């Protein structure tokens, strides 16, 4: 063998030994989190030639990647590359390289030299099988550039750093390293899609640059200015300056004083993101979740990860608990995404707590600021500014936590602000990401029990946070966070105005189509939250036990009922993102006993499973979480409560009558013209399970004493209180007559009637205390044309309301209808008692 060849091989071997030593030393210190968690998602074939491209070259990045590849059994990047007769001295390149020993500067180049060589050698060959894998290594990722502790100082950001900084970054933050492998790029396919060497190289480089920028932005956030600079940019904006001038003229004060008021508003609103706090919170919350939960399951995150790059993401979760804020941010951070800025009510801006939330990404807003034009201008400009800078947002469009377990009607303020900000700036397309959060026990359970029983909600205070001590002593089961189908804002805008992107919108632009477009967007978000629901064991136990008169069932009946509920949900699920617990019925019962939600009463004739009155009130919350999944089958079961048989045609007619009200309340996805196949599918499911029989066009249940009829009645009872509430409203209208009630009077009479019925007849329906549900139904009656208004604003109706009341005889028991009619008051009677 010639001497130069031996020396070259010796040099290569010594270099590999040196790298191996460094890799071993580094591995002792580095703790890397790999994304995706399941590397099988990459569809990387270890038997094919693999070439890695690093985001930015650094020796530590290469060694970390080398170690991870060896652990996975993949070809190591530092070794030579072989693909047929293509030979390269190494199997990696870098999208960016810096030169200089101490003063580092970015090399100006269009393509990686070794990547150009690889593409050139592979050009013109058939089926090389080469796969190119992008790799991003972030040591001590940081979502801001603020000064602080050493860990913050030497964490990943957008600034240029030298070798010495990289050394300190590795020493100080090495145990908080994130490595993200991208989907492999098939070089053969790239050649097939392009015309040759130069075009393939240009497209490959462009794909890699876009990928690396998106990954870095998602992981450490966009480059953000200091909060003080941001405040001044809000104040100096044209919109806020105009509002300041108007404030000065209106209140007779000078411009400087009005500007100071605006500056105070901005400081009250603005987040003060602190990576120091985020890192501390990460460790505290990891301990906290492990302490109070058996696990946190995340569903459909992979599909979100795939679609989110390139978009400005707005997370829109349902709002069940104060824990929602922490949970979503923690899960995003844990999976390599920067936590979003979260819109929080100013009621949470408490002493000590407010500054902590602000440093965790919260920005605060007042409940209403229609009468405060300067505050509105400041808030709108702040949201517009952070949105234009690529900061992810999160807000709860319900406006407040749901006390009933159902989704609340959306409040459109934040959506409108977001849409108008996007119309004005349009830096990146906006993607709304609905998120369903399902709990098995609520940290606020005790306060919810009192509120579900009719007591007024207490305002938040510092004393509430003392309950954390009690919280950590209990077990709250599992939490499921499910990512729904995302909604691209551009697509919704295009449906309402195909020319929207060809119009320049000013500060005060309010297109005529904007209100209907925001309504449509809000409806889609709520529907997609429901489409991602997960049915946990507590949901199933709540549906089954609350359907019985005394919240107790024979254990064998409960097992059978749980089996039926699981089968119904699986057969009638209207989205592939809807999921059901994998526990079997017996395991669900044991789980409920272990959680302390139910108890087993041993009896000689068979054990009885029951729950106490206090827990039953709370279980209504968990039943309502998934009531939208049971609505159609439970409605069909209701139609057989008082009759044994019914024609399909009549069932379809009755469903068409009641569906608009169910759709509005439960955010069901079908348009009225889509309803027929849905009813048939749900009916067929009940037939398949033996709960109904069919003879021609006629549907029939079993005789009154049969097991099938018993289970059908239990299924119906899961929704019957909703129809009782509807009948209360109709009865109040009928008793007072057309043209005698205002809308406010009707709402008040409905609430009082429902509360009285609950007290006198032990209906025990917490939703009877919820004014929002009555308001929704009254609004639906108006939208469907059943209710109108005369010149004095009083409600008027015709025979259609009477037909609605007659149809109720099919659903509600005679005793129940009589009790409701007897209790409902007339407005004159109510006013007389109030005067007395």
């Amino acid at each position: 063998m010639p001497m130069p060849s031996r020396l070259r091989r010796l040099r290569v071997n010594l270099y590999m030994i040196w790298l191996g030593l460094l890799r071993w030393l580094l591995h002792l210190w580095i703790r890397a989190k790999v994304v995706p968690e399941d590397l099988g998602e990459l569809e990387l074939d270890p038997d094919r030639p693999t070439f890695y491209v690093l985001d930015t070259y650094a020796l530590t990045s290469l060694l970390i990647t080398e170690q991870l590849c060896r652990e996975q059994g993949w070809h190591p990047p530092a070794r030579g590359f072989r693909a047929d007769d293509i030979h390269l001295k190494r199997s990696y390149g870098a999208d960016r390289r810096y030169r200089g020993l101490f003063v580092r500067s970015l090399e100006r180049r269009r393509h990686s030299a070794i990547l150009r060589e690889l593409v050139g050698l592979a050009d013109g060959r058939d089926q090389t099988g080469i796969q190119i894998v992008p790799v991003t290594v972030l040591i001590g990722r940081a979502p801001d550039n603020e000064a602080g502790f050493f860990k913050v100082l030497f964490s990943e950001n957008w600034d240029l750093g030298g070798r010495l900084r990289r050394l300190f970054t590795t020493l100080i933050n090495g145990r908080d390293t994130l490595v993200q492998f991208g989907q492999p790029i098939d070089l053969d396919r790239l050649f097939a899609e392009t015309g040759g060497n130069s075009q393939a190289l240009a497209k490959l480089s462009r794909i890699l640059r876009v990928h690396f920028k998106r990954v870095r932005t998602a992981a450490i956030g966009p480059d953000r200015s200091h909060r003080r600079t941001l405040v001044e940019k809000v104040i100096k904006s044209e919109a806020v300056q105009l509002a300041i001038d108007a404030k000065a003229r209106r209140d007779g004060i000078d411009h400087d004083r009005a500007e100071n008021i605006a500056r105070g508003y901005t400081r009250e609103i603005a987040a003060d993101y602190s990576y120091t706090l985020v890192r501390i919170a990460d460790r505290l919350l990891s301990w906290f979740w492990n302490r109070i939960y058996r696990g946190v399951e995340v569903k459909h995150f992979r599909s979100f990860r795939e679609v989110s790059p390139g978009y400005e993401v707005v997370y829109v979760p349902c709002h069940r608990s104060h824990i929602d804020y922490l949970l979503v941010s923690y899960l995003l951070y844990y999976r390599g995404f920067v936590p979003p800025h979260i819109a929080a009510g100013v009621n949470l801006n408490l002493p000590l707590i407010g500054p902590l939330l602000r440093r965790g990404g919260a920005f605060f807003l007042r409940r209403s600021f229609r009468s405060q034009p300067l505050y509105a201008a400041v808030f709108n400009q702040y949201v517009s500014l952070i949105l234009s800078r690529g900061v992810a947002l999160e807000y709860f469009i319900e406006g407040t936590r749901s006390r009933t377990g159902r989704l609340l009607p959306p409040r459109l303020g934040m959506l409108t602000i977001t849409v108008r900000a996007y119309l004005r700036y349009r830096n990146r397309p906006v993607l709304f990401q609905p998120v369903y959060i399902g709990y098995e026990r609520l940290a606020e359970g005790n306060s919810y029990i009192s509120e579900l029983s009719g007591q007024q909600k207490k305002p938040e205070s510092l004393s509430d946070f003392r309950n954390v001590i009690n919280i950590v002593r209990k077990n709250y089961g599992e939490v499921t966070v499910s990512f729904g189908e995302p909604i691209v804002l551009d697509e919704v805008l295009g449906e309402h105005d195909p020319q929207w992107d060809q119009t320049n919108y000013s500060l005060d632009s309010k297109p005529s189509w904007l209100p209907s477009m925001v309504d449509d967007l809000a409806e889609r978000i709520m529907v997609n939250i429901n489409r991602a629901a997960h049915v946990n064991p507590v949901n199933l136990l709540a549906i089954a036990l609350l359907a019985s008169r005394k919240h107790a069932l024979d254990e064998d009946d409960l097992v059978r009922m749980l089996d039926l509920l699981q089968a119904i949900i699986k057969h009638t699920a209207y989205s592939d993102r809807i999921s059901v617990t994998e526990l079997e019925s017996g395991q669900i019962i044991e789980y409920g006993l272990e959680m302390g939600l139910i108890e087993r009463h041993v009896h000689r004739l068979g054990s009885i499973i029951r729950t106490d009155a206090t827990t039953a009130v709370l279980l209504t919350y968990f039943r309502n979480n998934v009531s939208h999944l049971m609505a159609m089958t439970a409605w069909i079961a209701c139609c057989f409560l008082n009759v044994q048989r019914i024609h399909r045609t009549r069932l379809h007619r009755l469903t068409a009558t009641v569906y608009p009200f169910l759709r509005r309340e439960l955010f069901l996805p079908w348009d009225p013209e889509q309803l027929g196949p849905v009813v048939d599918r749900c009916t067929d499911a009940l037939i398949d399970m033996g709960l109904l029989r069919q003879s021609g066009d006629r549907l029939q249940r079993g005789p009154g004493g049969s097991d099938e009829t018993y289970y059908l009645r239990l299924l119906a009872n899961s929704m019957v209180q909703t129809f009782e509430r509807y009948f209360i409203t109709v009865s109040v209208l009928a008793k007072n007559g057309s043209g005698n009630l205002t809308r406010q009077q009707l709402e008040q009479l409905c609430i009082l009637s429902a509360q009285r019925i609950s007290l006198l007849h032990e209906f025990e329906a917490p939703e009877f205390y919820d004014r929002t549900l009555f308001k929704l139904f009254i609004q639906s009656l108006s939208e469907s044309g059943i209710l109108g208004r005369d010149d004095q604003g009083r409600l008027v109706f015709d025979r259609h309301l009477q037909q609605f009341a007659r149809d109720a005889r099919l659903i509600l028991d005679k005793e129940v209808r009589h009790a409701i009619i007897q209790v409902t008051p007339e407005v004159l009677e109510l006013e007389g008692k109030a005067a007395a």
Side-chain angles (χ1 to χ4, degrees):
M1 182 179 292
M3 187 61 68
S5 177
R6 289 181 178 178
L7 289 175
R8 190 182 308 114
R9 175 168 293 185
L10 178 62
R11 190 164 56 246
V12 170
N13 289 338
L14 289 174
Y15 176 70
M16 295 305 297
I17 292 171
W18 171 243
L19 281 184
L21 178 61
L22 291 178
R23 177 168 51 81
W24 177 76
L25 290 172
L26 195 64
H27 181 60
L28 295 177
W29 178 246
I30 291 290
R31 293 294 180 269
K33 174 174 175 52
V34 182
V35 175
E37 294 177 12
D38 180 8
L39 289 174
E41 297 178 5
L42 291 177
E43 300 175 1
L44 185 148
D45 186 352
D47 296 327
R48 292 173 56 184
T50 304
F51 188 87
Y52 304 89
V53 180
L54 302 175
D55 175 8
T56 305
Y57 175 77
L59 181 58
T60 51
S61 297
L62 172 61
L63 295 175
I64 291 168
T65 306
E66 177 91 2
Q67 177 66 29
L68 292 173
C69 289
R70 287 176 178 271
E71 291 174 358
Q72 295 298 320
W74 299 345
H75 180 74
R79 290 200 176 276
F81 180 82
R82 300 287 185 271
D84 295 331
D85 58 344
I86 299 174
H87 302 282
L88 298 173
K89 61 183 179 181
R90 63 177 189 266
S91 299
Y92 74 90
D95 184 57
R96 297 186 302 171
R97 279 182 177 267
Y98 292 95
R99 61 187 177 185
L101 184 60
F102 297 107
V103 179
R104 308 275 282 167
S105 61
L106 182 66
E107 286 187 7
R108 295 187 177 276
R109 61 179 187 176
R110 295 184 63 186
H111 313 291
S112 164
I114 195 168
L115 194 62
R116 182 190 296 111
E117 183 180 356
L118 173 63
V119 172
L121 291 172
D123 188 21
R125 300 172 186 267
D126 293 331
Q127 301 301 318
T128 64
I130 296 172
Q131 52 188 351
I132 297 173
V133 180
V135 184
T136 305
V137 180
L138 301 172
I139 301 179
R141 63 191 181 115
D144 59 16
N145 354 326
E146 63 179 64
F149 297 109
F150 284 111
K151 286 194 174 184
V152 179
L153 183 63
F154 294 105
S155 55
E156 278 300 347
N157 54 44
W158 291 88
D159 292 337
L160 179 63
R163 287 189 172 94
L164 187 61
R165 176 186 170 85
R166 185 71 175 185
L167 174 62
F168 279 109
T169 297
T170 305
L171 291 174
I172 294 171
N173 283 322
R175 292 182 175 272
D176 188 33
T177 298
L178 176 75
V179 181
Q180 178 156 338
F181 289 90
Q183 285 289 343
I185 302 168
D186 190 316
L187 191 58
D188 294 333
R189 183 181 299 174
L190 198 64
F191 279 126
E193 294 172 352
T194 55
N197 182 348
S198 59
Q199 292 182 7
L201 180 61
K203 183 173 182 178
L204 177 59
S205 297
R206 184 169 62 253
I207 291 171
L208 290 170
R209 281 196 301 271
V210 171
H211 169 80
F212 288 132
K213 183 176 181 181
R214 287 175 176 175
V215 169
R216 181 170 285 266
T217 300
I220 68 174
D223 194 4
R224 300 176 182 175
S225 298
H226 193 275
R227 180 172 182 261
R228 183 170 56 250
T229 306
L230 186 64
V231 167
E232 290 306 313
K233 286 193 174 183
V234 170
I235 296 301
K236 299 304 180 185
S237 65
E238 180 184 355
V240 173
Q241 284 295 314
L242 290 172
I244 288 171
D245 291 337
K247 172 77 172 176
R249 289 193 303 271
R250 187 171 56 252
D251 293 358
I253 57 178
D254 59 43
H255 183 275
D256 289 344
R257 184 177 175 187
E259 188 171 284
N260 285 333
I261 293 173
R263 190 171 285 106
Y265 288 157
T266 312
R267 294 194 184 105
E268 175 190 316
I269 294 166
D272 190 13
Y273 212 102
S274 165
Y275 183 52
T276 304
L277 181 73
V278 170
R279 292 284 298 277
I280 294 171
D282 173 43
R283 284 152 177 77
L284 287 176
L285 288 174
S286 295
W287 170 84
F288 185 67
W289 305 138
N290 290 328
R291 178 76 181 183
I292 69 171
Y293 292 128
R294 301 185 179 200
V296 178
E297 185 177 9
V298 182
K299 293 181 177 292
H300 313 299
F301 188 82
R302 178 184 176 183
S303 60
F304 164 68
R305 186 192 296 280
E306 291 173 351
V307 77
S308 62
Y311 286 99
E312 171 59 43
V313 180
V314 179
Y315 302 95
V316 276
C318 60
H319 201 7
R320 312 287 200 209
S321 165
H322 281 313
I323 286 178
D324 300 342
Y325 299 100
L326 305 173
L327 189 60
V328 174
S329 292
Y330 173 83
L331 292 175
L332 290 169
Y333 180 81
Y334 186 76
R335 282 163 173 75
F337 282 70
V338 63
H341 275 29
I342 306 170
V346 74
N347 57 310
L348 292 177
N349 192 15
L350 302 167
L352 301 179
I353 301 301
L356 289 176
L357 294 178
R358 198 184 295 276
R359 285 169 173 77
F363 63 97
F364 296 99
L365 70 157
R366 299 177 181 181
R367 289 295 181 187
S368 176
F369 41 86
R370 289 183 178 178
S371 60
Q372 300 172 292
L374 179 56
Y375 182 91
V378 169
F379 186 84
N380 291 348
Q381 184 62 30
Y382 174 77
V383 173
S384 299
L385 193 57
I386 61 174
L387 190 70
S388 68
R389 295 185 173 195
V391 177
L393 298 180
E394 177 188 335
Y395 47 76
F396 304 94
I397 64 172
E398 296 169 90
T400 187
R401 288 170 293 150
S402 171
R403 265 49 176 202
T404 64
R406 292 184 175 90
L407 292 181
L408 299 176
R411 298 184 182 180
L412 307 180
M414 282 300 301
L415 278 182
T416 303
I417 291 170
T418 304
V419 172
R420 292 186 65 189
Y422 176 65
L423 290 175
R424 183 181 173 194
Y425 291 104
R426 300 185 216 172
N427 287 357
R428 287 204 305 171
V430 172
L431 179 142
F432 289 93
Q433 178 55 60
V435 182
Y436 176 90
I437 304 175
Y439 296 96
E440 293 180 349
R441 175 175 276 165
L442 290 170
E444 301 94 335
N446 291 334
S447 64
Y448 277 15
I449 287 174
S450 61
E451 291 170 26
L452 286 167
S453 300
Q455 297 182 23
Q456 291 295 316
K457 173 184 176 294
K458 294 181 180 179
E460 284 76 8
S461 65
L462 278 174
S463 61
D464 294 338
F465 293 90
R466 292 181 301 186
N467 293 330
V468 172
I469 299 173
N470 295 326
I471 290 173
V472 297
R473 293 173 179 171
K474 298 178 181 178
N475 182 274
Y476 291 84
E478 291 189 0
V479 183
T480 301
V481 179
S482 180
F483 284 69
E485 186 72 26
I487 299 165
V488 178
L489 180 56
D490 286 5
E491 296 175 2
V492 184
L493 287 168
E495 292 178 17
H496 288 264
D497 181 10
Q499 307 299 320
W500 73 271
D501 56 345
Q502 300 176 20
T503 306
N504 292 323
Y505 296 94
S506 63
L507 296 173
D508 300 322
S509 293
K510 293 182 180 179
S512 59
W513 47 262
L514 183 62
S516 61
M517 177 266 160
V518 174
D519 282 338
D520 182 22
L521 176 60
E523 180 76 14
R524 295 188 192 199
I525 290 171
M526 305 304 274
V527 168
N528 283 9
I529 289 174
N530 273 345
R531 284 180 186 267
H534 173 73
V535 184
N536 60 46
V538 177
N539 298 138
L540 293 171
L541 285 171
I543 296 171
L545 289 175
L546 295 179
S548 62
R549 187 174 295 275
K550 290 192 174 183
H551 309 144
L553 284 173
D554 178 90
E555 186 164 354
D556 291 339
D557 286 336
L558 179 57
V559 168
R560 172 64 174 148
M561 191 63 191
L562 292 172
D563 287 339
L564 286 171
L565 292 175
Q566 287 179 293
I568 287 170
I569 294 170
K570 290 176 181 178
H571 278 76
T572 62
Y574 51 82
S575 167
D576 58 3
R577 295 181 186 238
I578 292 170
S579 56
V580 187
T581 178
E582 295 179 358
L583 295 181
E584 296 180 356
S585 296
Q587 295 172 314
I588 291 173
I589 293 172
E590 294 302 323
Y591 188 77
L593 291 168
E594 186 180 346
M595 290 280 290
L597 298 171
I598 57 177
E599 58 186 27
R600 177 185 279 123
H601 179 73
V602 179
H603 191 274
R604 291 175 63 184
L605 297 181
S607 296
I608 294 173
I609 304 298
R610 63 189 181 187
T611 187
D612 60 74
T614 301
T615 306
V617 173
L618 189 57
L619 284 178
T620 62
Y621 187 96
F622 298 101
R623 177 195 64 191
N624 292 343
N625 284 169
V626 295
S627 57
H628 60 285
L629 301 180
M630 301 296 303
M632 296 307 295
T633 47
W635 154 252
I636 294 169
C638 283
C639 292
F640 291 88
L641 283 173
N642 296 312
V643 297
Q644 189 171 358
R645 58 186 62 86
I646 188 173
H647 285 277
R648 271 190 187 258
T649 52
R650 189 183 182 197
L651 178 62
H652 279 268
R653 183 186 66 78
L654 291 169
T655 305
T657 300
V658 78
Y659 178 70
F661 312 116
L662 291 175
R663 182 188 186 189
R664 186 175 184 86
E665 182 174 316
L666 300 176
F667 298 100
L668 299 177
W670 308 287
D671 293 327
E673 57 271 16
Q674 301 172 315
L675 202 53
V678 175
V679 175
D680 288 336
R681 185 172 72 249
C682 294
T683 304
D684 292 342
L686 294 176
I687 293 172
D688 292 341
M689 294 171 202
L691 300 183
L692 291 178
R693 296 193 294 271
Q694 181 173 355
S695 176
D697 185 50
R698 180 174 292 181
L699 298 168
Q700 181 174 331
R701 63 168 168 83
S706 65
D707 288 346
E708 291 75 15
T709 299
Y710 175 62
Y711 296 130
L712 190 69
R713 180 173 292 275
L714 288 177
L715 178 61
N717 286 346
S718 66
M719 280 293 292
V720 77
Q721 289 174 349
T722 297
F723 303 120
E724 289 170 357
R725 181 163 33 82
Y726 292 172
F727 190 68
I728 289 171
T729 307
V730 171
S731 297
V732 170
L733 282 167
K735 194 164 189 177
N736 284 273
S738 178
N740 290 322
L741 290 177
T742 64
R743 183 165 174 169
Q744 291 74 21
Q745 288 172 330
L746 176 59
E747 289 175 8
Q748 183 184 16
L749 289 174
C750 288
I751 287 288
L752 292 173
S753 300
Q755 291 174 353
R756 187 169 178 82
I757 289 169
S758 184
L759 292 171
L760 289 175
H761 298 277
E762 296 185 335
F763 281 14
E764 297 182 1
E767 62 189 59
F768 283 2
Y769 293 88
D770 190 352
R771 181 180 295 270
T772 301
L773 294 176
F774 283 101
K775 290 175 69 174
L776 268 179
F777 181 60
I778 294 168
Q779 187 173 346
S780 298
L781 287 172
S782 299
E783 291 175 353
S784 63
I786 295 176
L787 278 185
R789 291 193 184 186
D790 61 17
D791 295 338
Q792 279 117 18
R794 298 186 180 276
L795 299 173
V796 294
F797 52 87
D798 55 18
R799 58 183 179 82
H800 288 95
L801 188 75
Q802 297 170 354
Q803 180 62 45
F804 193 91
R806 282 196 296 270
D807 289 338
R809 298 177 184 175
L810 189 70
I811 311 302
L812 300 181
D813 184 82
K814 182 177 181 181
E815 180 182 352
V816 172
R817 286 186 284 111
H818 178 74
I820 290 174
I821 292 170
Q822 288 294 107
V823 167
T824 50
E826 298 182 26
V827 67
L828 295 178
E829 173 187 342
L830 180 67
E831 290 173 351
K833 290 181 179 179

